[in-house]
Amino acid sequence: MRDNPTLKGVPLAVGGDAARRGVIATCNYEARHFGVHSAMPTAQALLRCPHLIVIPPSMEKYREVSQQITAIYRDYTELVEPLSLDEAYLDVTHSVQHHGSGTLIAEEIRTRIAHTVGITASAGVAPNKFLAKIASDWHKPDGLFVIRPKEVAAFIAALPIAKVFGVGKVTAAKLQSLGVTTCLDLQSWSMYELENQFGKFGGRLYELCRGIDHREVSANRERKSISVEETYTQDLPSLATCIAELPALIATLERRMQRANVSKGIHKLFVKIRFSNFKHTTAECLATQLHPLTLQQLMTAAFQRGNLPVRLLGIGIRLRHDSEQMQGSLFEVS
């Protein structure tokens, strides 16, 4: 839209070709009005919005813009934690700009992005990462929302539980069946009750429903994994045809690993399969190197979980961290 003004005001999406089972990467608000959203198959998006214009991604352009925006961030703080090409956390507690006022800094950053890059940006200002992320989505597009410390209790009490980070459709439905629709509803639950219902995540829910988040902004966030995946125009009908795709996937993964220049060693290998019924499964095991035979064994284990034609294959590595020690081979399938 920035580079071609004729696209402003019309339903527009970036994504893959519908004929090749492409998916939508992102779309403008005109397209969202028709129910189009990211991760939706392009073919389905075109059914919802027949006059949708779909253009292919331009990753080099996005990286260039991302670098421009990151350079603006660093004029205010070195504590910048990127989440993606177009999203980041900033800790401006000790910034000398505007005496550390998060609100004034956020407004100035948004203005500079608009003037120098030519795109809009939304921002959220809050005492912690959890609340700042929610605030950044509150006044999209091109908005600013501030949650001051004294406003946290009232804001979080009215917050729908589905807005809490990590609460997906399944968890939200379970909570609603238990009579929980807002964070205030959840605050009556004890830590024990939440952990009994939701395991380890229950403890996280106990804090988040109170607006508590102790995570710091990390400027040196460690990369945890590298992966590749391919969606096929026609379903792969058998395990043998899936295994035949492994060499091409491995070659792509090796190139990606080389570009990433990761210093940490391999901790695990994994294989992801999405079947023709859209159900997916992942198999992984401990490993120290990218071994084709191990990936073939993982693929076999994963395929046997569904034993159906396959529309998507993915392979990847999980990287070792200093606290992790190698053990014997262990398979995990989910």
Side-chain angles (χ1 to χ4, degrees):
M1 290 163 62
R2 180 197 69 176
D3 296 344
N4 183 358
T6 64
L7 295 174
K8 291 182 179 180
V10 300
L12 177 69
V14 175
D17 187 350
R20 297 182 60 82
R21 289 184 168 175
V23 298
I24 300 298
T26 189
C27 61
N28 64 5
Y29 283 84
E30 287 80 2
R32 294 179 197 187
H33 177 74
F34 290 88
V36 178
H37 57 76
S38 61
M40 173 180 284
T42 303
Q44 184 180 342
L46 289 168
L47 286 174
R48 294 192 178 193
C49 182
H51 52 294
L52 178 69
I53 298 174
V54 182
I55 61 174
S58 177
M59 292 307 301
E60 193 54 44
K61 180 191 295 186
Y62 308 151
R63 289 191 189 97
E64 180 183 341
V65 169
S66 179
Q67 289 166 3
Q68 289 178 279
I69 295 172
T70 301
I72 293 174
Y73 294 158
R74 295 196 184 282
D75 284 343
Y76 300 88
T77 178
E78 286 300 313
L79 292 174
V80 178
E81 180 181 334
L83 297 181
S84 63
L85 285 173
D86 67 345
E87 195 169 18
Y89 289 115
L90 281 69
D91 184 344
V92 297
T93 306
H94 303 293
S95 176
V96 298
Q97 305 277 10
H98 298 292
H99 304 288
S101 167
T103 303
L104 294 177
I105 289 172
E107 192 56 73
E108 186 167 293
I109 286 174
R110 292 178 61 249
T111 300
R112 289 182 61 186
I113 291 173
H115 288 166
T116 62
V117 185
I119 60 175
T120 61
S122 294
V125 180
N128 60 49
K129 291 168 74 170
F130 164 59
L131 292 170
K133 169 61 176 169
I134 292 173
S136 71
D137 293 331
W138 213 254
H139 281 169
K140 282 188 174 182
D142 194 21
L144 173 65
F145 189 73
V146 181
I147 306 172
R148 295 172 178 82
K150 64 181 181 181
E151 300 166 344
V152 170
F155 177 86
I156 202 73
L159 188 71
I161 198 65
K163 293 279 189 182
V164 172
F165 178 77
V167 175
K169 290 182 179 179
V170 174
T171 303
K174 182 176 180 180
L175 284 165
Q176 288 174 2
S177 71
L178 295 169
V180 176
T181 59
T182 68
C183 286
L184 181 62
D185 296 332
L186 202 59
Q187 289 176 15
S188 63
W189 289 51
S190 68
M191 176 82 79
Y192 173 79
E193 289 171 324
L194 284 170
E195 288 182 339
N196 188 49
Q197 283 284 347
F198 301 99
K200 184 178 179 181
F201 184 56
R204 184 79 175 133
L205 274 175
Y206 183 86
E207 292 186 335
L208 293 181
C209 75
R210 290 166 171 77
I212 300 170
D213 184 8
H214 298 297
R215 295 174 301 156
E216 295 183 355
V217 172
S218 174
N220 299 306
R221 204 170 65 153
E222 283 188 303
R223 187 164 192 165
K224 296 181 179 180
S225 65
I226 303 173
S227 63
V228 297
E229 59 183 45
E230 180 72 33
T231 300
Y232 297 96
T233 306
Q234 294 184 329
D235 291 343
L236 303 177
S238 64
L239 174 59
T241 54
C242 291
I243 291 174
E245 296 294 330
L246 261 179
L249 290 169
I250 291 171
T252 304
L253 179 59
E254 286 176 335
R255 289 194 296 270
R256 191 162 291 182
M257 290 167 60
Q258 196 170 23
R259 286 199 305 270
N261 193 25
V262 177
S263 59
K264 298 286 185 180
I266 295 174
H267 177 55
K268 287 183 178 181
L269 299 181
F270 66 89
V271 168
K272 172 185 175 182
I273 293 180
R274 178 172 291 128
F275 296 102
S276 55
N277 61 358
F278 287 90
K279 291 186 178 179
H280 62 85
T281 186
T282 302
E284 59 183 50
C285 71
L286 296 171
T288 58
Q289 59 183 333
L290 190 62
H291 200 287
L293 181 58
T294 304
L295 287 168
Q296 183 174 324
Q297 292 172 335
L298 288 171
M299 187 166 288
T300 301
F303 182 87
Q304 290 172 347
R305 303 255 318 169
N307 201 26
L308 291 168
V310 170
R311 61 181 287 118
L312 177 146
L313 285 177
I315 63 170
I317 60 170
R318 304 201 193 282
L319 299 171
R320 183 189 311 283
H321 301 292
D322 294 336
S323 60
E324 293 169 333
Q325 301 295 323
M326 274 301 301
Q327 303 173 18
S329 179
L330 172 67
F331 276 81
E332 301 173 7
V333 181
S334 60

